[in-house]
Amino acid sequence: MVTFSPMFRFLLNPNSSLLPIYPFRELSSASASASASAVDYLTNTLGFARKTAIAVARELKIKTTTRPDSVVQLFKNYGFTPNHIATIVSKHPSILLADPIILGPKLQFFSDNGVSGSSLVDMVSTDPVILRRSLQNKIIPSISFLKELLPADHNIDSLLTAKRGTWLVHKFSLQMMPNVETLRSHGVPESSILRILTLRPQALSFNADEFKGVLTRAKEMGFDEKSTTFIHGVYSLCAMKKGKWESKVSVFRSFGWGEEEVIALFVKQPTIMQHSEARIKKPLDFFINELGWQREDISKYPTVLFLSFEKRVVPRCRVLQLLIEKDLLNRKRMGRALIISEDQFIKVFVSSYEKKIPELLEVYQSNNVGLPQSAVSV
């Protein structure tokens, strides 16, 4: 159950005699030259380096220090150190001009409902924009939703302080609970539901009836609702209208793929359809036309489509092709060689062959981004 302190209930009382609560003040659009008073405040009060203070001050217009002093003191009251406050202000300068009457209840609500002390400090320092979200329309209902959803042994603070944990608050909608129930009715494990909440909460904001259709479509494609790829597939389908799906499938068709092959690839690597048509076409062209790979090779190692050409694919292909040309490597190992970690690649495909090819490390580290002339197929 969501908890409200007496002060907090008073602040939410529509009959309260408090002045109306206004949203954060907009960032100043004044001239690019930094306000001298803002620079002085940032350096003297928050310990900013002068160069950083000048950059941040361009987004502030401090006429008096009354409001900033109140905001800084409010944060200190909740355990934020000057370093924490400086981090918050550097990420979101206009928070210094926020009304403490707005900020206070939000900080108090989080503190009263499981996100207090160091957890509150970590959450706000990582994502200060969360304090711009509406208390009554986003923060309160999202925390209520989490308290109803999470198992007894799962703390709210551990979720909200995790990477992207606050996305749920930013993306919260009243559609979420019906959509969670739909996931449960399809046999999706609670661990996967928590995962989609933290990684892709916007998918749960989808229209409830349309969301049911997406789950049905995902299962018809071959997704296993108990697998970790299921939530990525659901998100990808939620994020695409039918026309966009067809447009991306047409890119694969231009390289000889049939729709069933595309669907099979999508089920294996659902994030592929989260990329633009141009981002899909570039690696397909490279692997098929430059390296001579077959569709089956890409289907076996779909991750290669998302690797950086300059940082990984081209340097490794120079090494691998040299090894293949000297009959030191079976070309069937090429796909695996592209997806292993950097340390593994150097150990297995560079260091192991340096006695036979002393220049191998130099070839790998070369700034020349070209490939040898002959093509290589897996």
Side-chain angles (χ1 to χ4, degrees):
M1 182 177 181
V2 176
T3 305
F4 299 96
S5 67
M7 180 194 78
F8 192 79
R9 286 196 296 271
F10 173 74
L11 288 168
L12 288 179
N13 184 351
N15 297 318
S16 168
S17 60
L18 288 173
L19 293 173
I21 295 177
Y22 297 99
F24 282 173
R25 209 167 131 180
E26 294 293 326
L27 295 178
S28 172
S29 58
S31 69
S33 61
S35 162
S37 60
V39 172
D40 289 342
Y41 189 85
L42 293 171
T43 53
N44 296 333
T45 304
L46 298 180
F48 274 73
R50 187 163 184 81
K51 184 177 180 181
T52 305
I54 291 172
V56 173
R58 292 193 182 103
E59 301 184 42
L60 292 170
K61 197 171 187 179
I62 298 177
K63 294 181 179 180
T64 72
T65 64
T66 302
R67 177 65 64 82
D69 284 343
S70 297
V71 170
V72 169
Q73 186 57 53
L74 177 64
F75 278 124
K76 287 182 177 179
N77 291 343
Y78 282 90
F80 292 78
T81 67
N83 284 341
H84 292 134
I85 299 169
T87 297
I88 292 168
V89 172
S90 66
K91 291 180 179 180
H92 188 40
S94 65
I95 201 167
L96 269 181
L97 304 178
D99 190 339
I101 293 178
I102 295 177
L103 290 181
K106 294 176 182 180
L107 291 168
Q108 187 64 46
F109 180 80
F110 281 121
S111 186
D112 289 341
N113 288 278
V115 189
S116 59
S118 61
S119 295
L120 179 64
V121 170
D122 291 344
M123 180 187 73
V124 176
S125 299
T126 301
D127 181 19
V129 179
I130 195 172
L131 294 179
R132 294 198 66 163
R133 295 297 164 239
S134 167
L135 180 62
Q136 298 195 46
N137 296 331
K138 289 289 186 181
I139 295 175
I140 292 176
S142 64
I143 298 300
S144 299
F145 169 69
L146 281 176
K147 286 198 166 188
E148 184 176 347
L149 177 69
L150 292 177
D153 61 347
H154 202 111
N155 296 325
I156 285 180
D157 62 347
S158 63
L159 190 150
L160 292 179
T161 55
K163 185 178 181 180
R164 300 175 183 150
T166 52
W167 281 18
L168 174 65
V169 178
H170 293 294
K171 302 295 182 181
F172 180 79
S173 84
L174 295 177
Q175 299 285 353
M176 284 187 169
M177 185 52 79
N179 289 339
V180 166
E181 292 304 324
T182 298
L183 288 170
R184 287 171 170 161
S185 70
H186 280 262
V188 179
E190 292 296 315
S191 59
S192 293
I193 294 175
L194 287 177
R195 190 170 176 81
I196 197 171
L197 274 174
T198 54
L199 296 179
R200 303 295 185 185
Q202 55 269 53
L204 292 178
S205 299
F206 216 56
N207 174 276
D209 289 334
E210 293 180 10
F211 189 73
K212 291 177 182 178
V214 166
L215 294 191
T216 299
R217 186 180 175 197
K219 293 177 78 170
E220 289 174 348
M221 285 180 163
F223 280 99
D224 178 0
E225 62 272 12
K226 299 190 185 308
S227 72
T228 55
T229 59
F230 182 78
I231 59 171
H232 294 290
V234 167
Y235 170 73
S236 296
L237 292 172
C238 286
M240 276 187 300
K241 293 182 179 179
K242 185 176 181 180
K244 181 59 69 173
W245 168 269
E246 292 296 337
S247 177
K248 293 178 180 181
V249 169
S250 69
V251 174
F252 284 95
R253 284 200 182 105
S254 69
F255 290 94
W257 295 61
E259 183 159 5
E260 291 303 316
E261 290 177 299
V262 177
I263 290 174
L265 183 68
F266 175 57
V267 171
K268 188 172 184 178
Q269 185 65 51
T271 55
I272 191 171
M273 289 302 199
Q274 295 173 19
H275 295 274
S276 67
E277 290 88 336
R279 181 65 183 84
I280 294 170
K281 183 176 181 179
K282 182 179 178 181
L284 284 175
D285 180 62
F286 181 82
F287 283 104
I288 292 175
N289 295 330
E290 295 289 333
L291 296 185
W293 282 34
Q294 302 301 311
R295 298 192 302 276
E296 295 78 9
D297 302 325
I298 294 175
S299 295
K300 186 175 182 180
Y301 298 103
T303 307
V304 299
L305 295 178
F306 312 115
L307 302 176
S308 168
F309 286 159
E310 292 77 14
K311 294 181 180 179
R312 178 176 292 205
V313 175
V314 171
R316 291 192 184 189
C317 282
R318 284 199 300 266
V319 170
L320 297 171
Q321 182 155 332
L322 187 56
L323 293 175
I324 291 169
E325 288 176 346
K326 293 184 178 295
D327 293 326
L328 296 174
L329 181 70
N330 188 320
R331 63 184 57 189
K332 291 184 178 180
R333 296 180 64 190
M334 191 176 186
R336 176 65 181 167
L338 289 174
I339 64 175
I340 61 176
S341 70
E342 180 74 0
D343 289 343
Q344 284 181 298
F345 181 82
I346 291 176
K347 178 181 178 181
V348 176
F349 296 102
V350 178
S351 300
S352 298
Y353 295 99
E354 278 191 297
K355 288 186 179 180
K356 295 182 179 179
I357 310 177
E359 71 275 17
L360 200 55
L361 182 60
E362 183 180 349
V363 169
Y364 182 52
Q365 296 175 338
S366 171
N367 290 327
N368 175 16
V369 297
L371 282 170
Q373 294 298 311
S374 58
V376 177
S377 60
V378 177

